[in-house]
Each structure stands twice: as C-alpha cells, then as structure tokens.
Amino acid sequence: MKTIHKLFAAFFIGIGLTACVKYKNDINLEDAQAKQAALTSKVRQQLGDAPNGWLLMVPNLDPTIRTAIPIVLKFDVAKGVVNSTSPFPASLSSVPSLFELSSATGAPLLSFATGSIFSGWYEAGGITDYYFKILSVSADSISMQPYRKGNVYASEGGIPMVMYRLKTPATWFDKPYDLKAILTGKTAPLFNNANNPLKLTYKDGYQQPAWNMEFDGVAAGDMAFWQRYVPFTRYLGMIPIYLFSNGNYTVPGVYYCGNNALVSHLDNGFTPAPWFIDQPKKFISAIKTDYLLVRNLSTDSAKVELFALDKYGNEIISGTLEAK
C-alpha cells in the first residue's frame, strides 16, 4: 500500500513539474495578435489605395457556370464607407454603404452593412454571406471568402473570390440603357419581332445551342408583388420581365433587366416554379452564364451587343441579340 502511495505522489509531482515547464512551441498570443493587427492594417491601406477602385468578381454558386458577376468598389477607409457600381440598380444609390474591417475572428474580416448590395444579394440567395474572411493580400489583388456557406448548419467558408485593383476606370455601367423599354416597349423591334436569335461566342470553345428569345412585360399589379416580396427586386432593384424561349409560349421564364445587364436568377421559394426556377435554370445551363452585360446598342434598338467576364475579370463571352 505504501508503494502505491509513493507512486501517486511521484505522478502528481511529475505533473506539477511538467506544468511549470515553458515550451518553445507554446502559442504567443501577443505575437499572434500583433500579426493579425499588421495584416488588418495592410488590408485597410490596400483598400484605400486604389484611385480607380477594386473589381470584385463574384462566381455563381453553380460551378458549371463559366462567368462571374463584376462589382466595382471604391473604399473610403477614413469614413468607413464604400461606393459601388454593378449590374444591380440598387448600387447606383448616391448614399454609400458602410463597411468594417476587423480581426475579431483571428483573420481580417471585411463586413458590409445591412442595406448594402451584398446584404441584398445575400437575401436574394446569390451569395452566401456579406461577411468576408481575407485569405491573402498582394500588391494588386485581395483574395477573400464568404464567412458562411449560407446555411447555419453548414460548415464555414463559401466560394472564394478575388478583388483586383483597377489600373484604369471600369466604364461598363457608366452609360445606362433602359433595357425594359428596349425589350418590352410596344414599338421596340425586339418586342414586336418573333425571330430574335441570341448568338454567343465563347473563348473556351463552348458551342452555345441555338436560342431564340421573345419578351413581354410584367403587369403593374404583378410588379408591385415583385417590389414587395421578391428579394432580387426588393433589395437590388432588378426589373422583372418574361422570357419566352425557342417558341415556348406556354411556360415563360422570369428574366431580369439590371444596370446595363440582362440577368437570370433562381427565385427559390416562389411559384409557379417553372417560371421562377426551371426556365431560368434551363437558360443558364444552355448559355453557361447567369448574366450578359450590354456593350452597345444599335440606333434602332434592334441589335444589342453583349459580353460577360470570367472570375479573373477577362472577357470570355461575346455576342449579339438581334431582331431579324
């Protein structure tokens, strides 16, 4: 029995001695916090040091889509506000959005306020968060990742994306077109013509299937519904119209006119599902992009020149929509 007592005593003395040892590999919290603060300061300086702004390319949640939606951001780090231009009309507001840069999560976290285009896009289901972890910083780019995957039960981390420092001003959204009138106006060629082929060319060699597009407007009462209940319109200002593809007049798809952009979006949770989800999904799958930016418009509004960008900000799709 005495032997057992001696063993226990030796065991606990060993624990005490071990606890008093300072290992070289112990985490130095002060050093870690200093590194976090230095990286956060570097990110803040980078954000503010871009006279032409930053180009954020936001990939679609569907990995088969070849394009990413461009958003131009200009940060005023002194005031903590950011101005944006994008395919979403809500980004044209003269009132800048608030942003915050912190390191509370152990890495720099770039947060956009409620009411920004990011929070609106999150509500519409287009992105999974409006809080972004900064992954890496270089002289001309900042890599970041949505903090959440969009579901409270899912693991952390959405699809990574990159902001690129613009060397020259981006002018894609500077000359707004009234796309609703161009596509659904009673005298518009693209409204009155039944033969409006969409012809796109892809730099990666993809062959777009033949696709004919016809359009119709949304009634005023229905528009009020969109403005009140559908997040893509309510929060981002997107204007819904109806798209009839390839002579299918029975089941239209909801299509959106934005700021110099034609956009397909899946409005999950709304019915009839073929209008809000199935037809838009079919169109996106066929042309491998959820948006097309307007490059130019013919004087008679019968021909629209279109393009789209990949996740690096390079043009990957170009083509036309024309009333024949």
Side-chain angles (χ1 to χ4, degrees):
M1 191 70 177
K2 291 181 179 179
T3 303
I4 294 175
H5 287 165
K6 289 179 180 178
L7 289 173
F8 272 114
F11 175 72
F12 285 113
I13 290 171
I15 292 177
L17 290 173
T18 303
C20 293
V21 175
K22 174 69 176 179
Y23 286 102
K24 292 182 179 179
N25 293 330
D26 284 350
I27 296 174
N28 189 319
L29 293 179
E30 291 183 358
D31 284 351
Q33 291 172 351
K35 290 178 181 178
Q36 292 171 11
L39 181 55
T40 301
S41 177
K42 181 179 179 181
V43 174
R44 190 182 307 278
Q45 182 179 2
Q46 289 281 77
L47 291 177
D49 186 23
N52 297 310
W54 293 87
L55 174 62
L56 174 62
M57 300 305 302
V58 183
N60 192 283
L61 300 178
D62 181 351
T64 66
I65 302 306
R66 287 164 161 77
T67 58
I69 290 182
I71 300 179
V72 178
L73 300 167
K74 289 187 176 182
F75 295 89
D76 185 331
V77 296
K79 296 180 179 179
V81 297
V82 56
N83 288 282
S84 64
T85 52
S86 73
F88 309 123
S91 68
L92 298 178
S93 170
S94 59
V95 180
S97 299
L98 298 175
F99 80 93
E100 183 178 359
L101 187 64
S102 67
S103 56
T105 60
L109 187 71
L110 179 60
S111 309
F112 295 94
T114 301
S116 67
I117 60 167
F118 292 100
S119 69
W121 206 358
Y122 168 76
E123 293 291 342
I127 55 176
T128 57
D129 207 346
Y130 47 101
Y131 296 81
F132 298 88
K133 295 184 292 185
I134 302 299
L135 303 178
S136 64
V137 183
S138 70
D140 293 314
S141 67
I142 299 175
S143 298
M144 60 190 200
Q145 181 183 38
Y147 191 77
R148 298 174 290 183
K149 285 185 177 177
N151 188 319
V152 293
Y153 301 106
S155 59
E156 293 181 2
I159 299 174
M161 55 193 74
V162 181
M163 285 197 300
Y164 300 97
R165 185 196 302 273
L166 286 167
K167 294 180 172 58
T168 58
T171 59
W172 305 314
F173 310 113
D174 291 352
K175 184 181 177 182
Y177 295 103
D178 186 349
L179 294 177
K180 179 184 176 183
I182 291 167
L183 299 180
T184 66
K186 298 307 179 184
T187 61
L190 286 164
F191 174 76
N192 288 292
N193 202 303
N195 184 23
N196 306 312
L198 176 67
K199 295 183 179 180
L200 301 176
T201 300
Y202 298 72
K203 287 192 174 180
D204 61 3
Y206 175 73
Q207 297 294 316
Q208 172 221 330
W211 208 272
N212 190 69
M213 306 176 72
E214 295 178 71
F215 307 96
D216 199 4
V218 170
D222 292 337
M223 182 65 75
F225 169 84
W226 255 277
Q227 292 170 336
R228 185 170 183 178
Y229 296 109
V230 182
F232 210 48
T233 297
R234 179 178 179 179
Y235 297 115
L236 295 175
M238 300 297 286
I239 301 172
I241 60 174
Y242 295 122
L243 167 62
F244 299 90
S245 294
N246 301 323
N248 180 0
Y249 301 109
T250 304
V251 184
V254 176
Y255 201 37
Y256 287 97
C257 299
N259 180 31
N260 283 6
L262 302 174
V263 181
S264 296
H265 180 72
L266 308 185
D267 291 303
N268 293 307
F270 290 90
T271 57
W275 295 23
F276 284 94
I277 302 171
D278 297 345
Q279 287 298 318
K281 184 183 292 186
K282 184 178 179 181
F283 184 50
I284 293 171
S285 178
I287 66 172
K288 302 303 179 186
T289 181
D290 55 347
Y291 77 96
L292 292 165
L293 296 179
V294 177
R295 191 196 313 275
N296 201 9
L297 180 69
S298 64
T299 54
D300 60 356
S301 298
K303 183 178 180 180
V304 186
E305 296 180 19
L306 303 162
F307 70 101
L309 308 172
D310 64 14
K311 64 181 180 180
Y312 304 107
N314 300 317
E315 187 173 312
I316 189 174
I317 300 174
S318 61
T320 60
L321 171 65
E322 185 174 7
K324 295 290 189 178

